């Protein structure tokens, strides 16, 4: 058993790297990949939806290629996190002079930012029902930061966990057959 995994990657360089590792990856967009209707039991979008100029079109295509009752799992930055609040506050309070935090939270390549309610509304509007969700924190082991910045980041993420405003959102939605 197991799953037959496929990926879609717009970057030809990243797609080539994935294929060299033996992965099934289509280079292009989800629409260009032309997967048959009802092909997938589950689709994941890890750090994807905030980069899309038209997330509704991508979600409609995802709904089309999912089997009945298929699942979509989305992981993305949580715009209502303690980290986002503090970074925004520091930027505004310093009249734009303190950019370190804001540049770590808000990236130019992110077209949109989502919090839980906004994500739920977007998915429900496109034929999905919420099944489960949780908040988590960035895994700092993936990043190379100077010791002081590492310490500050750990502290901020800890405060976010303590207050229930973590900086990552993961949600599972199910294809709604009635839509």
């Amino acid at each position: 058993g197991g799953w037959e995994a496929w990926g879609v990657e717009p970057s030809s360089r990243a797609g080539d790297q994935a294929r060299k590792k033996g992965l099934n990856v289509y280079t292009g967009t989800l629409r260009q990949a032309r997967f048959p209707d009802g092909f997938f039991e589950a689709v994941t979008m890890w750090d994807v939806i905030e980069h899309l100029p038209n997330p509704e079109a991508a979600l409609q295509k995802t709904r089309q290629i999912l089997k009945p009752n298929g699942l979509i799992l989305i992981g993305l930055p949580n715009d209502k996190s303690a980290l986002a609040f503090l970074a925004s506050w520091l930027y505004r309070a310093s009249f734009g002079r303190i950019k370190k935090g804001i540049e770590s939270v808000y990236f130019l390549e992110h077209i949109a930012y989502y919090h839980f309610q906004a994500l739920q509304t977007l998915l429900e509007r496109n034929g999905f029902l919420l099944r489960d969700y949780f908040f988590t924190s960035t895994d700092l082991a993936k990043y190379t930061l100077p010791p002081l910045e590492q310490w500050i980041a750990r502290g901020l993420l800890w405060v976010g966990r303590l207050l229930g405003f973590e900086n990552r959102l993961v949600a599972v939605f199910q294809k709604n057959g009635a839509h």
Side-chain angles (χ1 to χ4, degrees), residues 17-80:
Q17 288 175 341
R19 282 186 292 279
K20 284 178 186 171
K21 293 181 179 183
L23 301 173
N24 294 320
V25 176
Y26 175 84
T27 298
T29 66
L30 184 59
R31 188 163 301 284
Q32 291 167 337
R34 299 187 199 273
F35 291 110
D37 291 359
F39 187 71
F40 292 106
E41 293 179 38
V43 170
T44 63
M45 291 188 178
W46 289 104
D47 294 303
V48 170
I49 205 154
E50 67 273 19
H51 296 268
L52 300 177
N54 187 350
E56 294 208 347
L59 291 170
Q60 290 163 9
K61 182 63 178 173
T62 300
R63 192 174 183 290
Q64 183 181 341
I65 62 175
L66 278 172
K67 293 182 180 195
N69 299 315
L71 301 173
I72 181 171
L73 179 75
I74 298 176
L76 70 165
N78 174 23
D79 196 41
K80 284 196 176 174

Side-chain angles (χ1 to χ4, degrees), residues 23-177:
L23 301 173
N24 294 320
V25 176
Y26 175 84
T27 298
T29 66
L30 184 59
R31 188 163 301 284
Q32 291 167 337
R34 299 187 199 273
F35 291 110
D37 291 359
F39 187 71
F40 292 106
E41 293 179 38
V43 170
T44 63
M45 291 188 178
W46 289 104
D47 294 303
V48 170
I49 205 154
E50 67 273 19
H51 296 268
L52 300 177
N54 187 350
E56 294 208 347
L59 291 170
Q60 290 163 9
K61 182 63 178 173
T62 300
R63 192 174 183 290
Q64 183 181 341
I65 62 175
L66 278 172
K67 293 182 180 195
N69 299 315
L71 301 173
I72 181 171
L73 179 75
I74 298 176
L76 70 165
N78 174 23
D79 196 41
K80 284 196 176 174
S81 69
L83 192 61
F85 172 80
L86 182 60
S88 272
W89 183 85
L90 280 172
Y91 182 77
R92 286 193 309 273
S94 73
F95 298 102
R97 287 190 300 275
I98 299 176
K99 296 179 182 175
K100 184 64 174 171
I102 204 85
E103 289 172 347
S104 299
V105 175
Y106 295 102
F107 300 102
L108 292 177
E109 61 269 15
H110 288 185
I111 293 171
Y113 289 90
Y114 297 91
H115 53 79
F116 172 70
Q117 293 83 5
L119 183 67
Q120 183 177 11
T121 298
L122 176 66
L123 272 287
E124 287 178 352
R125 205 172 47 226
N126 286 282
F128 293 93
L129 300 172
L130 178 67
R131 287 297 171 231
D132 201 4
Y133 72 97
F134 64 91
F135 295 95
T136 188
S137 295
T138 297
D139 178 7
L140 291 177
K142 297 189 308 186
Y143 300 94
T144 304
L145 297 172
L148 179 60
E149 289 182 28
Q150 180 89 351
W151 183 82
I152 291 169
R154 284 187 195 285
L156 291 173
L157 293 176
W158 179 80
V159 168
R161 276 192 299 278
L162 188 67
L163 298 175
F165 290 99
E166 294 175 280
N167 72 316
R168 301 280 307 156
L169 166 60
V170 178
V172 180
F173 294 86
Q174 186 172 35
K175 180 178 176 178
N176 180 355

